[in-house]
Amino acid sequence: MSIPKIIAGPCVIESAELLDEVARTLVAINAKHGTEIIFKASFDKANRTSLRSYRGVGMEQGLQMLADIRSKYGLQILTDIHESWQAAPVGEVVNVLQIPAFLCRQTDLLVAAARTGKCVNIKKAQFLSGEDMKYPYEKAMESGAKEVWLTERGNIYGYNNLVVDFRNIADMRKIAETVVMDCTHSVQRPGAAGGKTGGNREFVPAMALAAKAFGANGYFFEVHPNPDCALSDGPNMLYLSDLDDVVKSLL
């Protein structure tokens, strides 16, 4: 049985110390389980609920910090982009460019990411079905992406809530070889915490196992040593100390 692709890291770059702590944990898990966890962190969160919410350290500083993690720990790196002009410089540093869910139909963004020749991970929009992801996938593949992964992250369910239809995973496996379950964003409660996003991290391990049953072969976890003090997405993030057990359950 092949080892699944696993993506993990903090939602947003808060400090070099945080990145180092998470990276050391990922290296230890990789050595223990024979995995190759991809390090994820965002240099900018352009879609925060409130104007006053923390967005990150910016692209220039953020890319340098991610490059340092790659150099020091030998980890592959994933980060997201929000605008087409960001693709080329980000592609010089990371292994995987990620397209946020709400931007997954933006043709220019997809084409720019694909033209870097890197792997592109496209998150499924909260308003699309798995079958709809055929078209973003084709845009990226036909524009030169090395690989294209598709990621499930739940669908809008009324206000301030998401629900996961796991049939989308099976549908996307008919389109792409790699389908990732975003186990932490799928338990978000968007905008449900007074100007910021809430969430239910207690469901994260079960989301991963349910996705495995439906054929997912990749898993995405936002992790933090102390999620309740995180500067973004704390309520839905997994405790860094719990990641080893969750990874073990998926192998």
Side-chain angles (χ1 to χ4, degrees), residues 21-219:
E21 182 175 357
V22 173
R24 287 193 296 268
T25 299
L26 300 190
V27 168
I29 294 173
N30 284 338
K32 180 178 180 180
H33 296 295
T35 49
E36 192 173 348
I37 301 176
I38 300 167
F39 184 96
K40 180 269 172 187
S42 298
F43 55 80
D44 179 27
K45 300 297 293 184
N47 60 328
R48 295 304 306 274
T49 302
S50 169
L51 186 63
R52 290 175 291 278
S53 297
Y54 178 75
R55 286 184 54 165
V57 298
M59 190 175 76
E60 183 176 356
Q61 183 181 355
L63 289 181
Q64 183 58 61
M65 294 169 79
L66 292 174
D68 290 344
I69 291 296
R70 185 185 63 188
S71 176
K72 289 167 64 175
Y73 299 100
L75 293 166
Q76 294 187 62
I77 305 293
L78 176 150
T79 197
D80 38 20
I81 59 172
H82 295 85
E83 299 183 57
S84 302
W85 64 268
Q86 296 174 335
V90 172
E92 293 293 321
V93 173
V94 307
N95 303 91
V96 185
L97 286 86
Q98 182 165 274
I99 307 300
F102 67 101
L103 295 175
C104 77
R105 288 163 53 103
Q106 296 296 103
T107 300
D108 291 345
L109 184 62
L110 290 164
V111 170
R115 284 180 175 168
T116 66
K118 295 296 182 75
C119 179
V120 179
N121 183 35
I122 310 173
K123 288 194 170 186
K124 181 179 72 62
Q126 299 91 327
F127 49 84
L128 294 181
S129 71
E131 293 176 335
D132 292 330
M133 292 304 291
K134 171 185 177 182
Y135 304 103
Y137 175 86
E138 289 177 344
K139 289 178 183 179
M141 283 298 295
E142 292 174 15
S143 299
K146 179 181 178 182
E147 294 180 59
V148 177
W149 306 345
L150 299 179
T151 294
E152 167 63 41
R153 54 97 72 242
N155 281 81
I156 296 167
Y157 188 68
Y159 298 115
N160 307 123
N161 206 2
L162 298 170
V163 66
V164 177
D165 180 352
F166 288 96
R167 294 173 297 182
N168 284 326
I169 292 172
D171 287 339
M172 289 192 290
R173 282 299 305 271
K174 298 173 186 176
I175 301 167
E177 184 175 335
T178 299
V179 173
V180 179
M181 179 67 201
D182 185 339
C183 304
T184 45
H185 285 100
S186 61
V187 300
Q188 279 184 335
R189 300 292 301 276
K196 57 185 179 179
T197 291
N200 300 97
R201 74 172 67 96
E202 65 270 22
F203 298 130
V204 169
M207 283 288 183
L209 291 174
K212 180 179 179 181
F214 276 85
N217 53 3
Y219 305 90

